[in-house]
Amino acid sequence: MSGNTLGQLFTVTSFGESHGPALGCIVDGCPPGLPLSEADLQVELDRRKPGTSRHTTQRREPDAVKILSGVFEGKTTGTPIGLLIENVDQRSKDYGNIAEQFRPAHADYTYHMKYGFRDYRGGGRSSARETALRVAAGAIAKKYLRERLGVEIRGYLAQLGPIKMGRIVWEEIGNNPFFCPDPDQVEALENYMDALRKEGDSIGARINVVATGVPPGWGEPVFDRLDAELAYALMSINAVKGVEIGGGFGCVEAKGTQFRDEITPEGFLSNHAGGILGGISSGQEILASIALKPTSSLRLPGRSVNVRGEPVEVVTTGRHDPCVGIRATPIAEAMVALVLMDHYLRHRAQNGDVTPGLRLIPPQAP
Amino acid sequence: MSGNTLGQLFTVTSFGESHGPALGCIVDGCPPGLPLSEADLQVELDRRKPGTSRHTTQRREPDAVKILSGVFEGKTTGTPIGLLIENVDQRSKDYGNIAEQFRPAHADYTYHMKYGFRDYRGGGRSSARETALRVAAGAIAKKYLRERLGVEIRGYLAQLGPIKMGRIVWEEIGNNPFFCPDPDQVEALENYMDALRKEGDSIGARINVVATGVPPGWGEPVFDRLDAELAYALMSINAVKGVEIGGGFGCVEAKGTQFRDEITPEGFLSNHAGGILGGISSGQEILASIALKPTSSLRLPGRSVNVRGEPVEVVTTGRHDPCVGIRATPIAEAMVALVLMDHYLRHRAQNGDVTPGLRLIPPQAP
Amino acid sequence: MSGNTLGQLFTVTSFGESHGPALGCIVDGCPPGLPLSEADLQVELDRRKPGTSRHTTQRREPDAVKILSGVFEGKTTGTPIGLLIENVDQRSKDYGNIAEQFRPAHADYTYHMKYGFRDYRGGGRSSARETALRVAAGAIAKKYLRERLGVEIRGYLAQLGPIKMGRIVWEEIGNNPFFCPDPDQVEALENYMDALRKEGDSIGARINVVATGVPPGWGEPVFDRLDAELAYALMSINAVKGVEIGGGFGCVEAKGTQFRDEITPEGFLSNHAGGILGGISSGQEILASIALKPTSSLRLPGRSVNVRGEPVEVVTTGRHDPCVGIRATPIAEAMVALVLMDHYLRHRAQNGDVTPGLRLIPPQAP
Amino acid sequence: MSGNTLGQLFTVTSFGESHGPALGCIVDGCPPGLPLSEADLQVELDRRKPGTSRHTTQRREPDAVKILSGVFEGKTTGTPIGLLIENVDQRSKDYGNIAEQFRPAHADYTYHMKYGFRDYRGGGRSSARETALRVAAGAIAKKYLRERLGVEIRGYLAQLGPIKMGRIVWEEIGNNPFFCPDPDQVEALENYMDALRKEGDSIGARINVVATGVPPGWGEPVFDRLDAELAYALMSINAVKGVEIGGGFGCVEAKGTQFRDEITPEGFLSNHAGGILGGISSGQEILASIALKPTSSLRLPGRSVNVRGEPVEVVTTGRHDPCVGIRATPIAEAMVALVLMDHYLRHRAQNGDVTPGLRLIPPQAP
């Protein structure tokens, strides 16, 4: 495979460039009979859509998704679902000067070296615009998981630069443009982002994703562990530099007696494992966390070279997010949904006839 | 796939349980003509082998690997390479009491729920004994990468509990049983581990891996990015809870002007990206870091339940590593080697006829 | 995978139903730098297009293909190529009565049983309309193979009902609506088809495909042999019931002394093998032959049942091909092209550094 | 993939050469809980074993299979099943002269050209000895299909050279060394083979395989159709040159009114389709037929060249089957079993929650 397909049984194959006529993807493997409409996808796309606040890029893309196949009389048919999003607001002139330059910390140089030349308009294939399709495809997985299996996947901004979220109030997340779960920090975020925009700089962020209701048994040892596939899917999001499951890097300084999650007849007493043991879901909440680097598209000049190796000063005047982490929450949720859906089908394939007897342990600690 | 195959073009498919007669794997896709002998693999296996110091499990396994196919007259033929390691020192009686118990933080409960029953002897398939095959297969990838392409992959213990390594003296790593690169910390590690063993507890660790000599262009956008596949492969190692590339979670608090790696005609000025931009290698060093949790096999009792849901006290009297991170360095190196080898072949397949012209930028900053 | 992706390195993933808004596919893995335009694809689509003579269905579909991604400044970029064909002439009323009926020898019953319900409009996903995408994708493979590697793939109608072609005059194939290579049989075909249409019946056909210029070494033992993958790809064409390579079923009554292709320093003395030995191309012409069943869409009534199991009489009044074999030649060529392209890349991946020394034997017998 | 893995969910990955120390395979994806012992596999291996009559090669291989993993307390665990068969009777001296020669119609030349050199001992990887693993792996699939799903897979010799079988008496097949179902032809076969052996020549054969009890709904459109995957799997058997499903090449001269299988409330009235419509099983018997070429290992001299391109006379004095078709019946059955098992799991993954309501049509015509 050339890398544009995700999943084994519930697959997403995507195409499209930032400034081409359209982006699209094919979702293959969705079980038949799921009620599905464009509105189901649009609601998730609108969460990711640019230009909804002053804190994200001002590119105006309606990101209106069309379902071209695989749905008949309002239900999935079991055949591939073709999705299409047309590009509307491509201002290619914004990017003219990057045709010959390698923007630092972008994929310009690596695409040039890999392919011999590149579609430089808005980053071409390397643009995060491609993640719109992930969100659209993820919406299908999310819907199946929620409606058929009671699995809920929710993410939030856990940290933005120096600002760490304290409380998690799930209802708050939709009330602010940051996916921030802590009502006490929204104002600090507003102020920080306003100052940052004035400054011309950008900032990193951390996103957490929680999946509840996943039953024990999903995930395939020994390579395709659930945590390994989550790491793959989350690391494949543009700008992600780190992935943690459960206790994550905190385990380095932890002792076994602290980190092992003891069990009583009433359930697990803690969840350092993040809901995955030996690569297989334990029935506890799945916990994943990612780090997103600050965007490198800045109006503060940076040093680089052009295709002839000559020094240039790079200034990005186009429309960009000063914190790509802000819009990343729905993308991260989508990736978790896609991985879980795929592993659900894989589990069903191999273990569809297993009756594991008593489900001994309540899925969550009390 | 049921999860026991790694890679797309250079694949490893493994089998075997901790206390079965043998473990093995099939390495498919190795180009023909590579000189290869069992000694080439054994040298890496011996680095991971248990029982070489008092700080690791005292199980005595020679881990002698046999090449059963794919090599003729001392060279790989291009056909699958079958590898076999016989189990010798299985003391199954050590594990008798776990047949009915779910050890906390092990895969006992999840295997039971996934498959309906499980091979409980020494953890069965979920045992880290399976990683011996990864090291053997990785040795083939390492050899090809080194001899044909000049790529060198080296790892080291970066942190063990509270002890962080300061200096990196590559020659030191082989001189102590910890893969510790800092001669100033070896004694502290000895003392810490002796105290820990006495205490009966275990501890986490961080391992870093560095790959030098990787040319620009390896890695496939948009899902199968080089960093995404590294995250997958490294997270699939037993006990790993976090993966970072380059600057990792440090990017959360970083600004774009700090984190972007500027370029001059003399090369990159920094490497926060860890050698990967847009999922494709940049020619800089590839930097990956992983967190390994403290083992949960402790002689200090822990609470759990048995298969009937009754409370039990679990005490592990078998032979175990008090810090699984100690022996993990060769495993992490192997996983990086396998991913790089696979991506090299994938790159060659698609871009074998690309001449990217001048290689503009020296691979490393001066 | 849910079955809608073909290939390993040069992949085609398709979507779309006969009467949905559009069909499309994603071609992933095309090497960068290939000059490509919509016209390159359209020329092949026009060869397959319905309604070009009185002997095929009168559905009027322009089959105009759009390239949505993966091509920049007239050349492939190495990123996925998105193709789209809009449906224009869907007369769904023609098919209204099949919503509740299972047409004999169609996929109506099997789709109903597999998925629980089905998109019955024009056969939905099971319609041969989907093969338009195969032709479009195949055109990319054909172009690469021809322009970069000198491989030429050509097919022809070898038999239609009782009429067997005698001579093969390559130039003749484009001069008649049957892809018939024998100028002496064109009139007989016209007369046969006119009579058949009057009668209301349909007829089977045999198509041969020849690939010249394939060098030795393509194909992967032991499962993914070149002949095995050709058989898969050709059998996946609607209505195909048999596949032969080289001598095919003629080998059943042949003796070894007759069937082995002896070799002299001047080359092979015969080609019963059809250019493939041990699953790997030998440098001779690749020869494949397929049997296509007569279409089951007839205006002569047939017995069947409806979704309630009640007996019904099925009469097809829609627009259909009385011999689906007539338009199948470009489809068969496309499938051969796609398999060869995929195996070329696979060969290049694994054996890109092999220098097999002297190419001893001229590829063709004199 | 480098071609040595079959299947998507029930996979077989094999290794081994004719004269290496051992052959083996890994069967991944077998559902847990299936009772399985080495005896279950051995019974099938013994059907394929050489040297059981004077009509097959006199190489004495016990083909004793060992299960190395994936089975615990007599049942499959859901983890990979490692199988090993040691080579015992390698007389490599028999083959010494082929190191430098390319035997006509063998894979010697193509392996040489693909890989640059080859393991020439007994044909190395291209030897049909590799099919022993297919039979062993197929035995697992067969057992699951039979015991859990009531699917029975049986094959027979349908034609050997000029001798066509008339009657099919299933009980007869095990009573003669030819897998011949027609008691009236056994003597003719004995005589024909005796004469052939005296002559020093070889002969082709046709094998039919029938699968009964397959429910409707297995198979994935549009590429991975059940018939397409059967064609792939059967064509991947050494010496196979043609594959037919149901009516096969007979459809070329058939009319639609003859070939369509009409349906009444009592069931299908015929089975020209061979049990597959639109790539999906219909509930009728699955019918497949293959042609096997005469072996090219003859003691009658043939012309060829050596690695330096010089003319040589090739005479095969080793032990070979004068009709490879004789021992091919269990291999063909195994391949059908492996494909069906894989498609069963794929169907269960995607459509495990479908309730297609009434199964309207009895699976078989009365």
Side-chain angles (χ1 to χ4, degrees), chain C residues 18-264:
Chain C
S18 179
H19 286 57
L23 303 104
C25 72
I26 301 174
V27 178
D28 199 9
C30 184
L34 181 73
L36 193 73
S37 70
E38 287 165 355
D40 291 322
L41 312 187
Q42 201 60 51
V43 64
E44 290 288 340
L45 281 163
D46 289 349
R47 293 176 70 214
R48 178 203 160 277
K49 203 167 61 175
T52 54
S53 82
R54 69 181 182 277
H55 305 297
T56 61
T57 173
Q58 296 305 299
R59 179 169 173 175
R60 297 283 169 187
E61 284 293 350
D63 279 355
V65 68
K66 283 184 212 158
I67 297 177
L68 296 179
S69 67
V71 176
F72 182 60
E73 297 181 342
K75 287 184 297 181
T76 58
T77 59
T79 60
I81 302 170
L83 301 180
L84 197 77
I85 296 177
E86 288 178 45
N87 284 323
V88 172
D89 185 20
Q90 319 100 299
R91 295 197 209 152
S92 287
K93 61 180 166 3
D94 285 356
Y95 302 96
N97 56 344
I98 68 169
E100 295 233 318
Q101 294 183 353
F102 300 130
R103 292 169 299 165
H106 276 88
D108 299 345
Y109 173 64
T110 55
Y111 270 64
H112 176 83
M113 292 302 283
K114 182 174 189 65
Y115 299 115
F117 83 118
R118 68 194 162 91
D119 176 353
Y120 50 78
R121 300 165 304 161
R125 181 70 177 152
S126 74
S127 165
R129 213 169 142 54
E130 170 267 331
T131 57
L133 275 324
R134 303 182 181 214
V135 171
I140 302 173
K142 261 186 167 178
K143 189 166 202 275
Y144 188 96
L145 290 167
R146 185 191 306 118
E147 297 186 1
R148 294 288 173 90
L149 302 166
V151 172
E152 198 69 47
I153 296 154
R154 294 181 295 183
Y156 58 86
L157 181 74
Q159 186 176 350
L160 184 150
I163 305 170
K164 297 184 188 181
M165 310 312 141
R167 303 153 56 199
I168 300 178
V169 181
W170 289 108
E171 299 69 32
E172 173 62 24
I173 293 169
N175 295 338
N176 64 73
F178 305 106
F179 297 91
C180 167
D182 184 349
D184 305 338
Q185 294 286 18
V186 174
E187 197 182 331
L189 288 169
E190 298 269 8
N191 296 338
Y192 187 89
M193 288 303 298
D194 284 339
L196 188 73
R197 205 168 52 250
K198 204 166 294 175
E199 198 181 327
D201 215 330
S202 64
I203 192 71
R206 176 193 279 266
I207 304 286
N208 287 354
V209 181
V210 181
T212 55
V214 176
W218 296 6
E220 302 295 326
V222 294
F223 296 121
D224 294 354
R225 291 165 198 248
L226 186 53
D227 38 3
E229 301 251 19
L230 285 170
Y232 157 79
L234 291 166
M235 191 69 93
S236 81
I237 300 173
N238 306 45
V240 171
K241 300 305 291 179
V243 179
E244 294 183 321
I245 303 295
F249 279 88
C251 75
V252 173
E253 303 200 14
K255 290 201 171 170
T257 43
Q258 302 166 312
F259 205 82
R260 65 176 162 182
D261 301 310
E262 291 183 294
I263 313 171
T264 72

Side-chain angles (χ1 to χ4, degrees), chain D residues 283-319:
Chain D
Q284 291 194 283
E285 284 183 341
I286 308 279
L287 308 173
S289 187
I290 56 174
L292 292 111
K293 71 174 183 179
T295 184
S296 311
S297 301
L298 304 175
R299 59 180 165 77
L300 300 174
R303 281 170 289 176
S304 191
V305 297
N306 63 18
V307 293
R308 287 173 302 279
E310 301 156 350
V312 294
E313 193 183 75
V314 174
V315 176
T316 306
T317 53
R319 303 152 301 173

Side-chain angles (χ1 to χ4, degrees), chain C residues 259-335:
Chain C
F259 205 82
R260 65 176 162 182
D261 301 310
E262 291 183 294
I263 313 171
T264 72
E266 286 71 43
F268 289 97
L269 296 176
S270 55
N271 190 9
H272 296 98
I276 302 173
L277 289 169
I280 302 170
S281 62
S282 68
Q284 289 194 285
E285 283 184 340
I286 308 280
L287 307 173
S289 187
I290 57 175
L292 292 113
K293 71 174 183 179
T295 184
S296 311
S297 301
L298 304 175
R299 58 181 166 76
L300 300 175
R303 281 170 289 177
S304 191
V305 296
N306 63 19
V307 292
R308 288 172 301 279
E310 300 156 352
V312 295
E313 194 183 74
V314 174
V315 176
T316 306
T317 53
R319 303 151 300 173
H320 289 285
D321 290 289
C323 176
V324 291
I326 291 179
R327 286 166 55 208
T329 293
I331 305 168
E333 290 173 3
M335 298 314 285

Side-chain angles (χ1 to χ4, degrees), chain A residues 1 3 110 114 159 199 201 217 223-225 232 236 241 243 245 253 255 257 262 273 277 303 346, chain B residues 1 3 110 114 159 199 201 217 223-225 232 236 241 243 245 253 255 257 262 273 277 303 346:
Chain A
M1 293 287 170
T110 54
K114 182 174 188 64
Q159 185 176 351
E199 197 181 329
D201 215 330
F223 295 120
D224 294 355
R225 292 164 195 247
Y232 157 80
S236 81
K241 300 305 290 179
V243 179
I245 303 294
E253 303 200 13
K255 290 201 170 169
T257 44
E262 292 182 292
L277 289 169
R303 280 169 289 176
R346 293 168 77 171
Chain B
M1 292 287 171
T110 54
K114 183 174 187 65
Q159 186 175 351
E199 198 182 329
D201 215 330
F223 296 121
D224 293 356
R225 291 165 197 248
Y232 157 80
S236 81
K241 300 306 289 180
V243 179
I245 303 295
E253 303 200 13
K255 290 201 170 170
T257 43
E262 291 183 294
L277 289 169
R303 281 170 289 177
R346 292 168 77 173

Side-chain angles (χ1 to χ4, degrees), chain A residues 353, chain D residues 31 140-149 341 348:
Chain A
D353 49 6
Chain D
I140 302 173
K142 262 185 166 178
K143 190 166 202 276
Y144 189 97
L145 290 167
R146 185 190 307 118
E147 297 186 0
R148 294 287 172 91
L149 302 167
M341 184 70 201
R348 183 158 93 172

